[in-house]
Amino acid sequence: MDMQNSTGISEFHLLGLSEDPDLEPILFGLFLSMYLVTVCGNLLIILAVSSDSHLHTPMYFFLSNLSLSDISFISTTVPKMLRNIQTHSRVISYVGCMTQMSIFTIFGCMDYMLLTVMAYDRFVAICHPLHYLVIINPRKCGFLILVSFFFSLLESQVHIFMIFQITNFKDVEIDNFFCDPSELLNISCSIIFSNNIVKSFLGAIYGFFPISGILFSYYKIVSSILRISSSGGKYKAFSTCGSHLSVVFLFYGTGFGVYLGSAISHSPRKGTIVSVMYTVVTPMLNSFIYSLRNRDIKGALRRLHSRNV
C-alpha cells in the first residue's frame, strides 16, 4: 500500500485480447473451454498417479507436481480474464496486480524448475539404472521439490522488488490480459536500456541455468543410449524422454518468446499472442502430451475407469 501511494496509481487497465465487443462471447467460450480442459486433464494425471501403485515412482511424483503447478499457473490469469469479459470491466487494482504478478511468477518458475528436475531424473534412470532408487529416493524427491519452490519464490520476490522500485508509470494500460512483469516494466518511466538489462539478467539466471541443466542431462542420456547395442533397447530408453522433451520445447520456446520478444521489440499484438501460448495453451497441452504419449498413464486411467464402472 505504501508503494501504491508513492506511485499515485490505485489501479491498472488490462487491454485484453480484443477491444471488439462482438468477439467477447467467442473469447469467453474459447478460454473457458481451454481452462476446464487444462484443469480436468491435469487433475486426471494427479488422480491416476495417486491411485495407481504402479505409478508411485519418482518420475510420476514429479509429473504430478508439474500438473499441480500447471493448474495453479493457469488459474492465476484465466479466471480473472473470464470475469473481466463477463463484467465488461478491464480494471485490476494495484494490489491485485502485484498479487497476480507474484503468484504468476512463482508457478511459472516452478514449471521451469520441475522440468529441470525431471530431466535430472531421466538422466539418473538411464545413465545409472542400478542406483536409480538409491539416488532418487523419497527424501531427495521432497528436497528437490522444496528447492524448486524456494527458487521460484525467490524469483517472485525479485520481480516484486523491481516493480516496487518504480515510482512513476507513464500509462495505466497494460497491453495484455494479465499483469505480466515485462509489460509493467514497459509502461514504467525507467530507462528502457536498464529495463532490458534487468530482463536479460533474469532470463539468464532463471532461463539459462535451468536449460543448461536440461541440455547437460540429455547430452549424457544420448551418449548412454548410443552405447546400447540393440535398436529396441535404444527406442525403449529414448521413449521415456519423448513427452518430457516435447513439453520442454513448448514451454521454453514460448517462455523465451515473451521475455526476449518484449526486450527486442515491443509489439502488443505479438506479445499477447505469445502470452496466450505461454500461459494457456502450454499448460493445456502438457496434460495431453503426458496422457496420450504415455502408456503408463493411459493404463492407469483405464484401470481407474474400470474400477469406478
Side-chain angles (χ1 to χ4, degrees), residues 194-250:
S194 63
N195 286 345
N196 290 340
I197 290 177
V198 170
K199 292 177 186 177
S200 301
F201 174 75
L202 288 175
I205 296 297
Y206 289 96
F208 176 75
F209 288 111
I211 198 66
S212 297
I214 293 174
L215 290 175
F216 176 78
S217 296
Y218 274 102
Y219 166 73
K220 292 292 187 179
I221 288 171
V222 171
S223 299
S224 296
I225 291 176
L226 291 177
R227 288 197 295 266
I228 299 175
S229 57
S230 66
S231 58
K234 290 180 181 179
Y235 174 78
K236 183 178 180 181
F238 194 75
S239 64
T240 63
C241 307
S243 299
H244 179 258
L245 273 175
S246 301
V247 173
V248 166
F249 284 127
L250 185 64

Side-chain angles (χ1 to χ4, degrees), residues 27-240:
L27 291 174
F28 182 86
L30 176 64
F31 280 89
L32 177 61
S33 302
M34 295 171 72
Y35 178 70
L36 293 176
V37 168
T38 303
V39 172
C40 292
N42 283 289
L43 281 177
L44 279 175
I45 290 177
I46 296 173
L47 184 61
V49 172
S50 60
S51 63
D52 197 311
S53 59
H54 297 90
L55 301 184
H56 292 174
T57 63
M59 181 177 74
Y60 292 108
F61 172 73
F62 295 134
L63 175 58
S64 60
N65 277 275
L66 179 66
S67 295
L68 181 61
S69 179
D70 281 339
I71 292 173
S72 304
F73 186 54
I74 194 173
S75 297
T76 307
T77 57
V78 174
K80 173 62 178 174
M81 181 187 65
L82 294 175
R83 182 177 180 275
N84 289 349
I85 293 176
Q86 193 173 31
T87 59
H88 304 288
S89 172
R90 301 176 184 269
V91 176
I92 184 170
S93 67
Y94 181 90
V95 175
C97 185
M98 295 301 105
T99 303
Q100 186 186 59
M101 184 190 71
S102 178
I103 299 174
F104 169 82
T105 308
I106 288 175
F107 289 109
C109 184
M110 191 71 178
D111 274 5
Y112 285 126
M113 299 303 296
L114 286 173
L115 288 173
T116 307
V117 168
M118 293 171 75
Y120 170 70
D121 170 75
R122 292 297 84 207
F123 157 69
V124 176
I126 293 174
C127 299
H128 305 282
L130 298 179
H131 302 94
Y132 175 66
L133 294 179
V134 176
I135 298 174
I136 311 294
N137 55 62
R139 181 176 296 181
K140 178 168 281 189
C141 289
F143 173 75
L144 290 172
I145 294 297
L146 288 176
V147 169
S148 299
F149 182 76
F150 171 77
F151 277 103
S152 302
L153 186 62
L154 181 62
E155 186 193 15
S156 173
Q157 296 308 304
V158 169
H159 276 89
I160 288 293
F161 177 77
M162 285 165 41
I163 300 301
F164 278 7
Q165 301 310 302
I166 299 173
T167 56
N168 288 290
F169 289 95
K170 57 189 175 185
D171 200 351
V172 295
E173 293 185 341
I174 299 175
D175 288 324
N176 218 319
F177 60 93
F178 68 99
C179 287
D180 187 356
S182 62
E183 292 295 335
L184 287 172
L185 287 175
N186 286 332
I187 64 172
S188 72
C189 292
S190 304
I191 301 174
I192 296 176
F193 179 71
S194 63
N195 286 345
N196 290 340
I197 290 177
V198 170
K199 292 177 186 177
S200 301
F201 174 75
L202 288 175
I205 296 297
Y206 289 96
F208 176 75
F209 288 111
I211 198 66
S212 297
I214 293 174
L215 290 175
F216 176 78
S217 296
Y218 274 102
Y219 166 73
K220 292 292 187 179
I221 288 171
V222 171
S223 299
S224 296
I225 291 176
L226 291 177
R227 288 197 295 266
I228 299 175
S229 57
S230 66
S231 58
K234 290 180 181 179
Y235 174 78
K236 183 178 180 181
F238 194 75
S239 64
T240 63

